[in-house]
Amino acid sequence: MSKEKETTHLSNSEQSETKAERELREKVEALKTEFCNISRNLITRCAVYYDNLAIDEIFAQHRRLFVRCANVILSKQGRKFEIDDNNRDVIKFLLYYFNYCAKALEIFPNCDLNKNIFLFGKAGVGKTILMDAFALYLKETNNPRAFYSISQTQMLNYYKQHNTLDKFTFNEEGSKSFEGNPVNLCLNDLGLKTQKFYGIDMQMLIDEFLYARYEIWTSQGKFVHITTNLDKKDMMGVFNDNYNRLTDRLKMFNVIPLGGESRR
Protein backbone atom coordinates (compact mmCIF):
# COMPACT_ATOMS: atom_id res chain seq x y z
CA MET A 1 0.00 0.00 0.00
CA SER A 2 2.80 2.40 0.85
CA LYS A 3 4.48 1.70 -2.49
CA GLU A 4 1.20 2.37 -4.32
CA LYS A 5 0.78 5.66 -2.45
CA GLU A 6 4.37 6.64 -3.23
CA THR A 7 3.84 5.79 -6.92
CA THR A 8 0.60 7.81 -6.93
CA HIS A 9 2.37 10.71 -5.22
CA LEU A 10 5.17 10.72 -7.79
CA SER A 11 2.70 10.47 -10.64
CA ASN A 12 0.75 13.49 -9.35
CA SER A 13 4.00 15.41 -8.86
CA GLU A 14 5.09 14.63 -12.38
CA GLN A 15 1.69 15.65 -13.72
CA SER A 16 1.82 18.87 -11.68
CA GLU A 17 5.32 19.66 -12.95
CA THR A 18 4.31 18.95 -16.55
CA LYS A 19 1.34 21.28 -16.19
CA ALA A 20 3.53 24.06 -14.79
CA GLU A 21 6.01 23.60 -17.59
CA ARG A 22 3.20 23.66 -20.12
CA GLU A 23 1.78 26.87 -18.67
CA LEU A 24 5.25 28.44 -18.71
CA ARG A 25 5.77 27.40 -22.32
CA GLU A 26 2.40 28.82 -23.31
CA LYS A 27 3.25 32.12 -21.63
CA VAL A 28 6.59 32.27 -23.43
CA GLU A 29 4.92 31.53 -26.76
CA ALA A 30 2.32 34.20 -26.08
CA LEU A 31 5.05 36.73 -25.33
CA LYS A 32 6.88 35.76 -28.53
CA THR A 33 3.69 36.21 -30.53
CA GLU A 34 3.02 39.59 -28.92
CA PHE A 35 6.60 40.69 -29.62
CA CYS A 36 6.32 39.60 -33.27
CA ASN A 37 3.04 41.50 -33.63
CA ILE A 38 4.58 44.65 -32.13
CA SER A 39 7.60 44.36 -34.43
CA ARG A 40 5.35 43.79 -37.44
CA ASN A 41 3.24 46.83 -36.52
CA LEU A 42 6.34 49.01 -36.14
CA ILE A 43 7.66 47.89 -39.53
CA THR A 44 4.27 48.53 -41.10
CA ARG A 45 4.08 52.01 -39.55
CA CYS A 46 7.56 52.88 -40.84
CA ALA A 47 6.63 51.62 -44.29
CA VAL A 48 3.49 53.76 -44.27
CA TYR A 49 5.22 56.83 -42.91
CA TYR A 50 8.22 56.98 -45.22
CA ASP A 51 8.74 55.70 -48.73
CA ASN A 52 12.28 54.66 -49.57
CA LEU A 53 13.49 57.59 -51.64
CA ALA A 54 16.91 55.97 -51.95
CA ILE A 55 15.28 54.06 -54.83
CA ASP A 56 15.55 56.31 -57.89
CA GLU A 57 12.10 55.44 -59.29
CA ILE A 58 10.40 56.29 -55.98
CA PHE A 59 12.38 59.51 -55.66
CA ALA A 60 11.31 60.52 -59.19
CA GLN A 61 7.64 59.91 -58.31
CA HIS A 62 7.90 62.09 -55.22
CA ARG A 63 9.70 64.85 -57.12
CA ARG A 64 6.93 64.90 -59.75
CA LEU A 65 4.30 65.12 -57.01
CA PHE A 66 6.21 67.95 -55.33
CA VAL A 67 6.38 69.89 -58.62
CA ARG A 68 2.63 69.45 -59.08
CA CYS A 69 2.06 70.79 -55.56
CA ALA A 70 4.36 73.75 -56.29
CA ASN A 71 2.39 74.49 -59.46
CA VAL A 72 -0.84 74.46 -57.46
CA ILE A 73 0.65 77.09 -55.14
CA LEU A 74 1.93 79.22 -58.02
CA SER A 75 -1.25 78.89 -60.09
CA LYS A 76 -2.75 81.68 -57.98
CA GLN A 77 -0.08 83.95 -59.47
CA GLY A 78 -0.42 82.56 -63.00
CA ARG A 79 3.12 81.11 -62.85
CA LYS A 80 4.75 77.68 -63.18
CA PHE A 81 7.36 76.22 -60.91
CA GLU A 82 10.86 75.76 -62.27
CA ILE A 83 13.71 73.61 -61.01
CA ASP A 84 17.07 75.14 -61.88
CA ASP A 85 20.67 75.24 -60.66
CA ASN A 86 19.74 77.53 -57.76
CA ASN A 87 17.11 75.32 -56.15
CA ARG A 88 17.80 71.81 -57.49
CA ASP A 89 20.02 70.62 -54.63
CA VAL A 90 17.81 72.24 -51.98
CA ILE A 91 14.70 70.52 -53.35
CA LYS A 92 16.52 67.20 -53.56
CA PHE A 93 17.78 67.59 -50.01
CA LEU A 94 14.36 68.50 -48.63
CA LEU A 95 12.67 65.56 -50.39
CA TYR A 96 15.15 63.21 -48.75
CA TYR A 97 15.02 65.08 -45.43
CA PHE A 98 11.24 65.10 -45.05
CA ASN A 99 11.15 61.39 -45.89
CA TYR A 100 13.92 60.67 -43.37
CA CYS A 101 16.28 59.33 -46.01
CA ALA A 102 20.02 59.32 -45.25
CA LYS A 103 20.82 60.32 -48.85
CA ALA A 104 20.04 63.88 -47.73
CA LEU A 105 23.42 63.91 -46.02
CA GLU A 106 25.15 63.29 -49.35
CA ILE A 107 23.96 66.75 -50.42
CA PHE A 108 24.54 68.67 -47.18
CA PRO A 109 26.85 66.46 -45.05
CA ASN A 110 26.78 68.74 -41.99
CA CYS A 111 23.01 68.53 -41.61
CA ASP A 112 21.02 66.36 -39.23
CA LEU A 113 17.76 64.62 -40.18
CA ASN A 114 16.41 65.30 -36.67
CA LYS A 115 17.01 69.06 -36.73
CA ASN A 116 14.75 71.77 -38.13
CA ILE A 117 15.20 73.71 -41.38
CA PHE A 118 16.50 77.30 -41.47
CA LEU A 119 16.16 78.36 -45.12
CA PHE A 120 17.69 81.72 -45.97
CA GLY A 121 18.30 83.72 -49.12
CA LYS A 122 17.64 87.01 -50.85
CA ALA A 123 14.13 88.40 -51.10
CA GLY A 124 12.13 86.82 -53.90
CA VAL A 125 14.28 83.74 -54.52
CA GLY A 126 11.37 81.43 -53.68
CA LYS A 127 11.84 80.41 -50.05
CA THR A 128 8.20 80.79 -49.02
CA ILE A 129 6.89 79.19 -52.22
CA LEU A 130 9.23 76.26 -51.65
CA MET A 131 8.07 75.62 -48.10
CA ASP A 132 4.40 76.20 -48.97
CA ALA A 133 4.78 73.59 -51.71
CA PHE A 134 6.40 71.15 -49.30
CA ALA A 135 3.60 71.76 -46.79
CA LEU A 136 1.06 70.68 -49.45
CA TYR A 137 3.22 67.79 -50.66
CA LEU A 138 3.65 66.38 -47.14
CA LYS A 139 -0.07 66.67 -46.52
CA GLU A 140 -0.83 64.81 -49.76
CA THR A 141 1.55 61.99 -48.84
CA ASN A 142 0.29 61.71 -45.23
CA ASN A 143 3.82 62.29 -44.01
CA PRO A 144 4.21 62.57 -40.20
CA ARG A 145 6.53 65.52 -40.78
CA ALA A 146 3.73 67.51 -42.42
CA PHE A 147 3.60 71.09 -41.15
CA TYR A 148 1.49 74.22 -41.26
CA SER A 149 3.01 77.17 -43.09
CA ILE A 150 2.39 80.55 -41.45
CA SER A 151 3.70 84.07 -41.91
CA GLN A 152 5.11 86.41 -39.31
CA THR A 153 2.24 88.80 -40.10
CA GLN A 154 -0.28 86.03 -39.40
CA MET A 155 1.35 85.34 -36.05
CA LEU A 156 1.33 89.05 -35.21
CA ASN A 157 -2.37 89.39 -36.04
CA TYR A 158 -3.19 86.39 -33.86
CA TYR A 159 -1.27 87.92 -30.97
CA LYS A 160 -3.11 91.25 -31.37
CA GLN A 161 -6.46 89.45 -31.08
CA HIS A 162 -5.63 86.92 -28.34
CA ASN A 163 -2.64 88.42 -26.52
CA THR A 164 -0.88 85.05 -26.66
CA LEU A 165 1.14 82.91 -29.08
CA ASP A 166 -0.31 79.68 -27.67
CA LYS A 167 -1.73 78.49 -31.02
CA PHE A 168 1.76 78.56 -32.55
CA THR A 169 3.60 77.17 -29.54
CA PHE A 170 2.22 74.67 -27.00
CA ASN A 171 -1.37 74.91 -28.30
CA GLU A 172 -2.79 74.22 -24.83
CA GLU A 173 -6.20 75.81 -25.35
CA GLY A 174 -8.80 73.07 -25.59
CA SER A 175 -6.20 70.33 -25.06
CA LYS A 176 -6.74 67.75 -22.33
CA SER A 177 -3.07 66.81 -22.34
CA PHE A 178 -0.70 68.37 -19.82
CA GLU A 179 1.84 68.84 -22.61
CA GLY A 180 -0.65 70.63 -24.86
CA ASN A 181 -1.01 69.76 -28.52
CA PRO A 182 1.79 71.48 -30.48
CA VAL A 183 2.05 70.96 -34.23
CA ASN A 184 4.85 71.13 -36.79
CA LEU A 185 5.18 74.67 -38.17
CA CYS A 186 7.08 76.72 -40.70
CA LEU A 187 7.37 80.42 -39.91
CA ASN A 188 8.01 82.43 -43.07
CA ASP A 189 9.78 85.78 -43.45
CA LEU A 190 11.29 85.79 -39.97
CA GLY A 191 12.93 89.14 -39.25
CA LEU A 192 10.76 91.02 -41.73
CA LYS A 193 9.66 93.42 -38.99
CA THR A 194 11.59 93.74 -35.76
CA GLN A 195 10.45 97.20 -34.74
CA LYS A 196 7.48 97.91 -32.50
CA PHE A 197 4.21 97.54 -34.40
CA TYR A 198 1.26 99.37 -32.84
CA GLY A 199 2.87 98.98 -29.44
CA ILE A 200 3.83 95.34 -29.98
CA ASP A 201 7.52 94.55 -29.84
CA MET A 202 8.09 92.00 -32.62
CA GLN A 203 11.51 91.08 -31.28
CA MET A 204 9.92 90.12 -27.97
CA LEU A 205 7.36 87.96 -29.78
CA ILE A 206 10.02 86.24 -31.89
CA ASP A 207 12.12 85.57 -28.79
CA GLU A 208 9.12 84.09 -26.99
CA PHE A 209 8.19 82.01 -30.04
CA LEU A 210 11.68 80.56 -30.50
CA TYR A 211 12.18 79.85 -26.78
CA ALA A 212 8.89 77.91 -26.70
CA ARG A 213 9.55 76.06 -29.96
CA TYR A 214 12.98 75.01 -28.75
CA GLU A 215 11.41 73.41 -25.67
CA ILE A 216 8.74 71.75 -27.83
CA TRP A 217 11.35 70.36 -30.22
CA THR A 218 13.56 68.96 -27.43
CA SER A 219 10.73 67.54 -25.30
CA GLN A 220 8.11 66.49 -27.87
CA GLY A 221 9.98 66.26 -31.16
CA LYS A 222 7.72 68.72 -32.98
CA PHE A 223 9.46 70.65 -35.75
CA VAL A 224 9.66 74.36 -36.46
CA HIS A 225 11.12 75.48 -39.77
CA ILE A 226 12.02 79.03 -40.72
CA THR A 227 12.46 81.03 -43.89
CA THR A 228 14.15 84.41 -43.77
CA ASN A 229 16.05 87.00 -45.77
CA LEU A 230 18.57 87.08 -42.94
CA ASP A 231 21.56 84.79 -42.89
CA LYS A 232 22.60 83.04 -39.68
CA LYS A 233 25.07 85.76 -38.73
CA ASP A 234 22.47 88.53 -39.12
CA MET A 235 19.93 86.41 -37.25
CA MET A 236 22.25 86.07 -34.28
CA GLY A 237 23.05 89.78 -34.33
CA VAL A 238 19.45 90.97 -34.54
CA PHE A 239 17.90 88.55 -32.04
CA ASN A 240 20.70 87.96 -29.56
CA ASP A 241 19.40 88.70 -26.04
CA ASN A 242 22.91 89.24 -24.55
CA TYR A 243 22.62 85.95 -22.63
CA ASN A 244 23.39 83.71 -25.64
CA ARG A 245 20.17 81.81 -25.04
CA LEU A 246 18.82 82.45 -28.52
CA THR A 247 22.22 81.73 -30.02
CA ASP A 248 22.01 78.28 -28.45
CA ARG A 249 18.50 77.85 -29.86
CA LEU A 250 19.81 78.40 -33.38
CA LYS A 251 21.81 75.21 -33.01
CA MET A 252 18.58 73.27 -33.50
CA PHE A 253 18.51 74.22 -37.19
CA ASN A 254 20.00 72.90 -40.39
CA VAL A 255 21.06 76.15 -42.07
CA ILE A 256 20.31 75.86 -45.79
CA PRO A 257 21.11 78.64 -48.31
CA LEU A 258 18.85 79.22 -51.31
CA GLY A 259 20.75 81.13 -53.97
CA GLY A 260 19.81 83.07 -57.09
CA GLU A 261 18.09 86.35 -57.81
CA SER A 262 14.46 87.37 -57.31
CA ARG A 263 11.92 85.33 -59.29
CA ARG A 264 9.17 87.89 -58.82
Side-chain angles (χ1 to χ4, degrees), residues 40-54:
R40 192 178 300 111
N41 289 336
L42 287 173
I43 293 172
T44 302
R45 285 175 64 189
C46 290
V48 171
Y49 281 176
Y50 301 111
D51 287 344
N52 186 5
L53 268 66

Side-chain angles (χ1 to χ4, degrees), residues 54-182:
I55 301 173
D56 291 341
E57 293 81 2
I58 295 178
F59 175 84
Q61 292 172 3
H62 278 257
R63 183 173 62 180
R64 286 193 293 270
L65 176 58
F66 166 75
V67 171
R68 287 200 294 271
C69 291
N71 281 326
V72 169
I73 300 296
L74 282 174
S75 64
K76 303 170 185 177
Q77 304 177 22
R79 298 162 52 198
K80 284 192 173 183
F81 186 79
E82 296 181 1
I83 297 180
D84 56 30
D85 291 341
N86 292 313
N87 62 17
R88 184 175 289 107
D89 284 348
V90 174
I91 291 170
K92 192 174 183 180
F93 168 80
L94 290 175
L95 280 168
Y96 286 137
Y97 163 85
F98 282 120
N99 288 283
Y100 212 75
C101 179
K103 285 181 73 69
L105 305 182
E106 296 178 7
I107 304 170
F108 295 117
N110 294 326
C111 288
D112 187 329
L113 294 178
N114 297 303
K115 288 186 177 182
N116 308 275
I117 298 299
F118 183 95
L119 186 64
F120 73 93
K122 297 178 181 178
V125 297
K127 302 180 295 296
T128 300
I129 292 295
L130 203 62
M131 294 306 282
D132 283 349
F134 268 106
L136 180 57
Y137 155 79
L138 295 172
K139 179 181 178 182
E140 291 296 315
T141 55
N142 294 316
N143 191 300
R145 290 192 163 195
F147 59 84
Y148 294 96
S149 186
I150 63 171
S151 68
Q152 186 172 281
T153 303
Q154 181 180 352
M155 190 170 72
L156 170 64
N157 288 337
Y158 181 87
Y159 183 84
K160 289 194 308 186
Q161 295 178 31
H162 302 277
N163 198 34
T164 179
L165 293 177
D166 176 67
K167 182 178 180 180
F168 306 111
T169 54
F170 292 97
N171 198 22
E172 294 175 328
E173 185 176 354
S175 173
K176 296 180 180 179
S177 170
F178 181 79
E179 295 83 6
N181 187 31

Side-chain angles (χ1 to χ4, degrees), residues 214 236 243-253:
Y214 177 80
M236 292 170 65
Y243 297 100
N244 290 324
R245 290 179 298 179
L246 194 58
T247 301
D248 290 339
R249 273 33 171 201
L250 288 173
K251 295 177 182 177
M252 69 177 176
F253 293 103

